[in-house]
Structure formats: structure tokens, C-alpha cells
Amino acid sequence: MDKKQEKQKDAGKILIEELNQDEKESATHKRSFWNVITIPLLAILSGIIIGAILIAATSTSVYAAFGQSFGKGITTAFSEIGSAYASLFTGSIGDPVRIFSALFSGDKEQIYKAINPFLESLVQATPYIFAGLAVALAFRAGLFNIGVEGQLFIGAACATFVGYAVKGLPVYIHMPLAFIAGGLGGALWGFIPGFLKATTGGHEVINTIMMNYIAFRLTEWLLSGPMTRPGSGGMPISPLIEESAQIPQFFPSPIRFHLGFFFALGFAWLIWWLLFKTKWGLNMRTVGTNPRAAKYAGLSVAKTTMIGMAISGGLAGLAGAIQILAVNRSMALGLSSGYGFDSIALALIGNNHPVGVVLASILFGTLRNGATRMMVVSRIPIDIVDVLQAIILMLVAAPAIIRTIYRLKEPKEEETTVFVSGWGGGQ
Amino acid sequence: MSKKFLLILSMVVIGSMLFVACGPTAEEEGVYVCQITDTGGIDDKSFNQTAWKGIQDAEEALGIRSNYLESQEVADYEKNLNAFQEEGCDLIITVGFLIGDATAAAAVANPDTYYSIVDYAYEETIPNVVGQVFETDEAAFLAGYAAAGVTQTGKVGTFGGLPIPTVTIFMDGFAKGVAKYNEVKGTNVEVLGWDLDNPDAGLFSMDFDDQQKGRELAVSLMDEGADIIMPVAGPVGLGAAAAIQERGNAYVIGVDSDWFLTSPEYADIVLTSVMKLMDATTFQVIENVINDSFEPGVIVGTLENEGVALAPFHDNANLISAELQAELDQLQADIIAGTIVLD
């Protein structure tokens, strides 16, 4: 018995040393960077190829052309795919020809319009970054936060309330106040399942899902009851927030690019610093990797669980707050197209690293933004982007598929994915 | 490894350039009409779909060009409005109260584009916006009267999606129709799920998506004895229809469109439908734009201008006696003539 305990204690120590070691090593280890980034990139490429096949296979004009002749079918298929991806590109990054001609003309308005697609992609990416960070942070602490969507709704509701109910404050107080209120609302909503896990062992996966339902119904009730817009007859929409609560946009309408994107980058940096540069972050990651070892090393698993869930929920709440304060300016039913659930995918693609999350978020934002233009020009429903995202995610989640397709070598050390231990790791 | 990666990257870059190069842009003739749906999507079997039908009808009859964008969340409204503005649409049709703010902002910013919003009327008229609103209670009144004449149990039921004016107006009309029948015939047909004197006690699914909820509400209404149910909750109502079909001894009254046609799988249990013909009003707006006779403000759909209507009874016409049909025709004439006022 004694021996066993000693052994486990050692395991804890070794683990902590290893985690420290890991950081130093990976900084000098350039190969591992390529290892990390190859799989997602190849997954994206594969997703685009499979998406192309789907675009061609669901197009009636392609079938009509095949009816005429095989060659015509092939050319039609390629031109359909070409026009779809061309519009996806010009809709999300911008039309290169237009950007150049705008730059040469020197007309400010033309330049704004030409670069708007790219800026709009960043607008789309902003809530993804916050929500993705929320999931990634929880994963690092060995927690599976499925409740990001609900936390986002609560955060949005809190930010909205402070945004319209508090009046007469200057912008540099009111705006941060509303933003923080959103974070606190989300943090509370994340803390509850964290607290339940720490004290009763109730699994956070179940509890966060249940908290989602409570959050959805609660916000519906708030929006059509206490927070409804006067004169709307009970429509599920809140009053407009005060101008002093709005996060400023940089350019005149229709460009929506706003300060919140830089908030998101700031928070990504903050989370990176917390996770990898502080003792607190080390403790958190230790608990996440092996809660038993962490316990024997003298760390409080319960405390980490509660704090981890609260911060994760807070980040999710900020995702909701940013949408209200910077983009929507009021809260209504249909606030989110599923940021909370997409964010699980983002964290996975981003390898639960803040930098990865930011990059994955920009990818998702770009895809979703480009999809609008794809719908307008090529009449391809936005659903194709959901399929694309799903394929990319599946390929990232199952790297063996990518390795087989592209004949990559198995990496020497199997990368440990933290979230796996999240399932029952704490039990 | 990195060589391989660079190779792939360069392939992607070259590929995307090729795609950009061969992007076609063909200019076409005709007025360009564009619709932006709310989060329900273009195929919601409700107002988005019906408004789109109006645009398609106009495409066939008037030779316009059309396009649509689906919104997945509130933040998409403004983005989609911008996208269509960029695309050069002549008339942009938005659907639903929740797009109201974004539509007004876009309309003010772009005075040269016409806008029309379904189910919404602005307090202050914007010179390039026309709202489309509907006196659905007129048709629901007829449905309530017919239901009261058909019921075997003496109880009819209704439930809504959310307690909002565009939903409760159906329930108001329905309950008033039943009350009218009781008054004329001296019967005591009861309405479950909606009380004219106590709107807070109404029955609602609090949802416009989840068919399971419609199923549950229909089952509980049938358990309480209702044999005709009018669900005013978009696709949720289809869940109610499924539950009614399983039970087999009750009927459903469709809303928005003629469910006998749009949901033929339930044709045997659809008594009638309270039609809110957004396609007719949308078509009207398009016609006005083409003829240069666009008028800002609101278009009100009524029984008179066929913006609302009671659908035919189709296969269940045998349930309606000649006498009842005659009374319904008379009521419709009275409402149009203004001798019956519903407010």
C-alpha cells in the first residue's frame, strides 16, 4: 500500500516536471510545429475537395449537362465548382482585381468596400474566438464544457440588460461595464456545473447540457417578458442598447469591423499566458492531464474544476456580450447560429491552444462569411458550409484517415489530447 | 514534411486563383427582387416560404429576376441586407418582426432601393419601405365558426408558438368565430387553449421549431376532449397534425398556407386552413415597383383583397352541411361589407 502510494506521488512529480519540460522542448522543436499544423491543413484541403464533389453532385445543371454529353458534364461540373469557390473566396477575402483597382483609384470608399469581405470575416470570427477559448480552456482543465451555448445566451442577456437599463454613463465606463456583466453572467452559468462536479461529482457534460436548456428558456422568457421592447407587443426582442454601451465600429456602415476583434485577440493572449506562463495554469493543466496524480501532488482538484468552469463560462458569456454590444445592438430570439457547439470543433481543430483557436476561428468565420456570397452568386445553400466544417472536423478528430490518404508517417510520440481524460478522468 | 506542405499550399493558392479567374458574371434584364428570410429558412412552410412563392409567381408572370439569402442568426440580417445592396437588388423583401430594426436602418441608408417587410408596420413611414400586415382574424373567425359547426365533442382547441400579436390574432379570430356560432345557434362550444377574456392563460409551445412540442400539446388538448385543433406555431403545428392523425378521430386547421396542398401527408385530417397569403401581397408590391406605383406605408391583407382567406375544405367538404356553408359565405360577405367588425 505504502509503496503504491509513493509510486503515485512520484508519478505526480514526474508529470509536473514533464509538463515543464514539454514547453521548453516544443519551443526549440520546429518539426513538431509542422506535425501539429499538417493534419488540420490537410483536413481543410480534403474538406474542400469533398465539398467540391458535393457541389457538383447536387447541381441540377450538372446533371442536365451530363445528359447531353460526358464532356459537357465534366466542364459544367468544373465551372459550377469554380464559380462556387470563387464566390466563397471573393466573399470572404475579397476580389483581388477590385482591391487593386480600388487601391490605385485611391478612393477611400472604394477601398473600404473592396476590403470589407475580409473585415467581415474577422467580425464573424470574433464570437468564435471567445467561444473556442472557452471550450479549449475547459479541455485543458480536463473538463468538457458543452454548455458554452447556454453561457453565451446568459452573457448576452446580462450585457443587454446593462446596455439598455443603465443610462447616462460615459462610453469608457458603460461599454466595459456591459461587457464585464456579460462575462460575469456566463461565469455564473459555468460555475454552477463546476460547483456541482466538485462537490457532488455530477458529471459536467450532463449538467452543462441541462444548463443550456435552462438558459434558452430563461432568455426566451426574459425577452418576451421582463426585457421585452416596449411597444413590441411581447415580441421576443429587447430594447436597443444605449449608444454609450456600444463597442465602436471602425468604419462607416456597412463595414461592421469593430474593436471587439482586438478584445478577442487580447483574451486569447491572456488565456495563453494564464495557461502556459503561470503556476496557476500549470496546476490547471496538471489536473486536466491526470487528476489523480495532481491530487497526490497536493493540488485541489475541486478548486481547479470550479475556477476552470467559471472562467470557461465567463469567456462564453463574453462571446454573447460581444455580439450584442458590437453587432446586434439588441437581443432577439435567434441570437446564435450555434457558436457554442461549433466552438467544440474549433477547440479540437485548434488543438486546445489559444493560437490554434484563433486560427480555427478565423477559418470558420471566413467560411461562413464567404458562404453568403456563394449563396448570392452561385445559389448554393449555406448548408454546404456546415458540411464542409463537419468534414474538416471529422478528419481532424481522426488523424489516421488523413495519414492514410496522404501517406504521412506516424509521429513518434502520440500527441496526448487532454480532453480524452476529461471523460470520467475525474472519477 | 515542410516541402510537402509547401507544395500543397502552393497548389491551393494556384487553385483558388484559377477559381477567381473563371468566376462568371452575367448581367440580366428585369427588376431584381431579393428576399431575406428570418432564422426559419426559405422552406419553413410558413411566412418565409409563402413570401418566396409570391416572388416566384412574379418571376413567372412578370419576368423579374430573384434571389434569396437565409439568415442563421440575428447578426446575419444586417450582413445579408448589405450583401443584397452590394448585389444591386431593386426591391428587398425581409420577413418577420425581428428583421425590423435592420431593415429600417438599411432603408434609410439606401433611399434608392425599395424595401418591403412582411408582418411588420413601422410607426413612422419610411419613404422607400412598405410593410405587409394581415387581418388574419377575419379568416380565423370563419375557421372558428366552421369548427364549432363540425365538432362532435363540443370542444375545439388552439395553441400558439409565442404570445405575440401576429400569433394571438389567429386565436382571437378563432375564439370569436366559435362565440359567434354559440350566439347564433344557442350552443355551448368551448375553446381550449385560448380565452378571449384572459390572454395570459393561453396555451403556447414557446417555440417555432420543435415538432415534438406540437405533438405533446395536441395530445393534451385531445385528452381534454378537443376534436378540432388549430396550431398557430409554424412547423410546430406539423407535430400536432401527426399526433391528430395517429389518434384518428380529430381534425387540424392549418395556418398560413393551405396545408391540404403544402402537407399532403395530412390531407385526410386537414379540415381547412386559415391562409395568410403573403404571396399575394408580396406579388402586389413587386407589381407596384414594376409599374412605378410604389407606395410607402403598409399593405393590409384582408378577406376583401384576398390577402387572407379560408382554404377550401377539399376532401372533408362532406363534414360541412350546405346550411353551414351558406352561413360561412354570408359571414364572409358581412365581414367584407363591414357589418361584422372584429376588433
Side-chain angles (χ1 to χ4, degrees):
Chain A
M1 186 67 194
D2 264 340
K3 231 180 187 178
K4 203 179 176 190
Q5 221 169 43
E6 213 173 321
K7 214 174 173 186
Q8 269 169 329
K9 204 175 198 171
D10 281 351
K13 266 187 197 160
I14 291 166
L15 192 85
I16 292 174
E17 276 160 19
E18 225 168 69
L19 280 169
N20 277 328
Q21 205 70 35
D22 209 29
E23 283 319 305
K24 283 176 203 151
E25 242 177 66
S26 67
T28 54
H29 222 255
K30 271 195 181 159
R31 259 185 80 103
S32 79
F33 171 73
W34 291 110
N35 272 338
V36 168
I37 206 159
T38 314
I39 298 280
L41 277 178
L42 289 176
I44 293 163
L45 179 72
S46 315
I48 288 172
I49 292 168
I50 297 172
I53 295 167
L54 282 174
I55 289 168
T58 53
S59 158
T60 45
S61 59
V62 169
Y63 287 108
F66 267 112
Q68 290 176 7
S69 78
F70 183 77
K72 202 157 194 181
I74 293 286
T75 30
T76 314
F78 271 100
S79 84
E80 285 277 311
I81 295 165
S83 101
Y85 280 141
S87 50
L88 187 70
F89 185 86
T90 54
S92 59
I93 311 287
D95 185 341
V97 180
R98 203 175 152 186
I99 292 174
F100 278 122
S101 67
L103 282 177
F104 281 122
S105 77
D107 182 5
K108 229 177 186 180
E109 201 170 317
Q110 289 297 325
I111 296 173
Y112 286 162
K113 276 197 170 168
I115 56 169
N116 188 25
F118 176 66
L119 295 176
E120 180 64 31
S121 293
L122 298 183
V123 171
Q124 296 269 330
T126 305
Y128 278 131
I129 296 176
F130 279 109
L133 286 174
V135 178
L137 183 108
F139 272 153
R140 288 282 178 180
L143 296 162
F144 215 143
N145 185 2
I146 314 289
V148 171
E149 188 81 353
Q151 292 145 14
L152 184 149
F153 271 70
I154 297 296
C158 292
T160 308
F161 183 76
V162 174
Y164 76 78
V166 181
K167 290 185 169 71
L169 290 179
V171 65
Y172 52 86
I173 297 179
H174 196 184
M175 188 260 281
L177 193 71
F179 189 58
I180 291 166
L184 288 179
L188 172 73
W189 219 251
F191 173 77
I192 295 169
F195 177 76
L196 288 175
K197 172 153 193 175
T199 52
T200 68
H203 203 289
E204 80 277 8
V205 168
I206 310 294
N207 286 334
T208 49
I209 293 174
M210 295 305 123
M211 292 295 283
N212 277 346
Y213 289 119
I214 301 173
F216 297 155
R217 298 292 98 83
L218 180 66
T219 47
E220 272 165 25
W221 173 75
L222 282 173
L223 286 178
S224 47
M227 281 172 66
T228 190
R229 180 180 298 185
S232 73
M235 279 281 179
I237 186 167
S238 80
L240 287 168
I241 59 167
E242 294 286 305
E243 220 160 283
S244 55
Q246 296 179 0
I247 292 175
Q249 298 181 347
F250 292 114
F251 302 99
S253 166
I255 301 175
R256 305 198 288 176
F257 187 57
H258 56 77
L259 190 61
F261 178 70
F262 296 105
F263 287 3
L265 294 185
F267 269 91
W269 178 83
L270 187 73
I271 296 301
W272 170 81
W273 180 77
L274 269 178
L275 278 175
F276 298 109
K277 295 293 159 203
T278 64
K279 193 176 149 221
W280 178 85
L282 176 68
N283 291 352
M284 189 154 185
R285 284 182 294 133
T286 311
V287 170
T289 317
N290 189 339
R292 280 199 195 105
K295 204 171 165 190
Y296 281 107
L299 302 174
S300 167
V301 176
K303 204 170 124 194
T304 312
T305 302
M306 286 191 280
I307 295 177
M309 278 305 289
I311 296 181
S312 173
L315 287 165
L318 291 178
I322 212 97
Q323 278 304 83
I324 298 294
L325 302 177
V327 180
N328 294 349
R329 308 278 152 96
S330 72
M331 185 168 172
L333 220 59
L335 163 73
S336 159
S337 58
Y339 291 114
F341 302 113
D342 288 346
S343 59
I344 299 167
L346 288 175
L348 187 57
I349 294 177
N351 211 14
N352 298 324
H353 192 287
V355 175
V357 167
V358 170
L359 292 177
S361 298
I362 292 176
L363 170 73
F364 271 39
T366 305
L367 282 175
R368 269 210 54 198
N369 183 34
T372 305
R373 180 109 195 108
M374 194 161 77
M375 253 169 90
V376 171
V377 177
S378 315
R379 317 261 163 137
I380 289 166
I382 202 161
D383 308 276
I384 199 90
V385 166
D386 291 341
V387 175
L388 255 174
Q389 287 177 354
I391 292 169
I392 293 171
L393 176 68
M394 275 157 59
L395 294 175
V396 171
I401 303 176
I402 290 287
R403 288 204 190 96
T404 315
I405 298 174
Y406 296 96
R407 298 171 192 284
L408 297 182
K409 271 185 222 138
E410 191 90 12
K412 274 178 205 152
E413 273 178 71
E414 204 43 63
E415 308 110 88
T416 47
T417 24
V418 174
F419 65 89
V420 173
S421 70
W423 284 99
Q427 263 71 69
Chain B
M1 178 66 71
S2 72
K3 239 183 200 170
K4 211 175 208 172
F5 166 75
L6 283 174
L7 185 74
I8 289 161
L9 188 74
S10 55
M11 273 166 62
V12 171
V13 170
I14 292 168
S16 60
M17 279 173 155
L18 278 175
F19 285 144
V20 174
C22 65
T25 41
E27 275 301 317
E28 289 164 68
E29 294 288 308
V31 171
Y32 198 5
V33 181
C34 305
Q35 181 183 344
I36 294 167
T37 76
D38 77 346
T39 51
I42 198 79
D43 51 359
D44 64 345
K45 300 211 172 200
S46 186
F47 56 7
N48 289 305
Q49 190 169 356
T50 316
W52 179 238
K53 182 175 171 290
I55 294 176
Q56 286 179 310
D57 289 348
E59 192 163 7
E60 216 155 88
L62 307 172
I64 57 157
R65 289 181 295 141
S66 71
N67 208 338
Y68 72 89
L69 274 175
E70 291 184 314
S71 306
Q72 292 187 318
E73 57 168 329
V74 174
D76 286 348
Y77 297 155
E78 191 187 351
K79 185 179 85 171
N80 290 343
L81 281 161
N82 290 340
F84 272 150
Q85 193 61 47
E86 183 90 331
E87 181 68 9
C89 297
D90 300 303
L91 168 65
I92 298 177
I93 305 215
T94 60
V95 179
F97 182 95
L98 298 178
I99 311 190
D101 289 345
T103 306
V108 170
N110 303 290
D112 295 337
T113 308
Y114 292 116
Y115 292 82
S116 179
I117 179 162
V118 175
D119 256 355
Y120 194 63
Y122 292 103
E123 275 170 29
E124 283 171 42
T125 303
I126 305 170
N128 54 335
V129 183
V130 61
Q132 302 177 26
V133 292
F134 301 86
E135 303 279 0
T136 26
D137 51 346
E138 294 185 355
F141 181 86
L142 299 177
Y145 195 90
V150 169
T151 178
Q152 301 289 318
T153 58
K155 284 176 183 170
V156 296
T158 184
F159 67 86
L162 281 172
I164 51 178
T166 47
V167 167
T168 53
I169 190 173
F170 278 89
M171 300 160 87
D172 275 340
F174 186 73
K176 281 174 188 163
V178 173
K180 179 76 178 175
Y181 187 89
N182 287 337
E183 186 192 316
V184 171
K185 306 275 175 175
T187 51
N188 195 18
V189 177
E190 239 184 287
V191 180
L192 304 177
W194 187 243
D195 182 351
L196 282 170
D197 301 323
N198 183 14
D200 289 340
L203 188 60
F204 293 96
S205 60
M206 297 309 286
D207 191 286
F208 285 106
D209 298 315
D210 189 355
Q211 297 199 12
Q212 184 57 31
K213 285 190 188 132
R215 182 180 278 276
E216 285 161 13
L217 289 174
V219 165
S220 69
L221 284 170
M222 286 189 288
D223 286 345
E224 286 181 51
D227 64 349
I228 295 167
I229 296 170
M230 180 179 76
V232 195
V236 174
L238 297 174
I244 290 165
Q245 195 170 44
E246 279 164 26
R247 193 68 72 97
N249 57 1
Y251 295 93
V252 68
I253 293 177
V255 293
D256 290 348
S257 51
D258 186 350
W259 284 15
F260 181 88
L261 304 174
T262 57
S263 301
E265 65 270 34
Y266 302 121
D268 56 324
I269 54 141
V270 175
L271 178 63
T272 180
S273 299
V274 179
M275 295 192 291
K276 184 172 167 179
L277 298 162
M278 289 151 276
D279 48 342
T281 46
T282 302
F283 189 92
Q284 185 62 49
V285 171
I286 295 170
E287 217 171 21
N288 289 349
V289 167
I290 291 173
N291 298 335
D292 249 349
S293 57
F294 181 91
E295 273 182 41
V298 283
I299 285 188
V300 182
T302 59
L303 281 178
E304 189 179 3
N305 64 17
E306 294 180 344
V308 301
L310 190 69
F313 296 98
H314 297 290
D315 290 359
N316 287 316
N318 57 326
L319 296 169
I320 309 291
S321 65
E323 188 198 348
L324 185 57
Q325 184 62 55
E327 286 167 358
L328 287 171
D329 292 343
Q330 185 56 44
L331 285 172
Q332 169 149 356
D334 287 349
I335 291 171
I336 291 173
T339 45
I340 294 179
V341 181
L342 290 172
D343 298 314

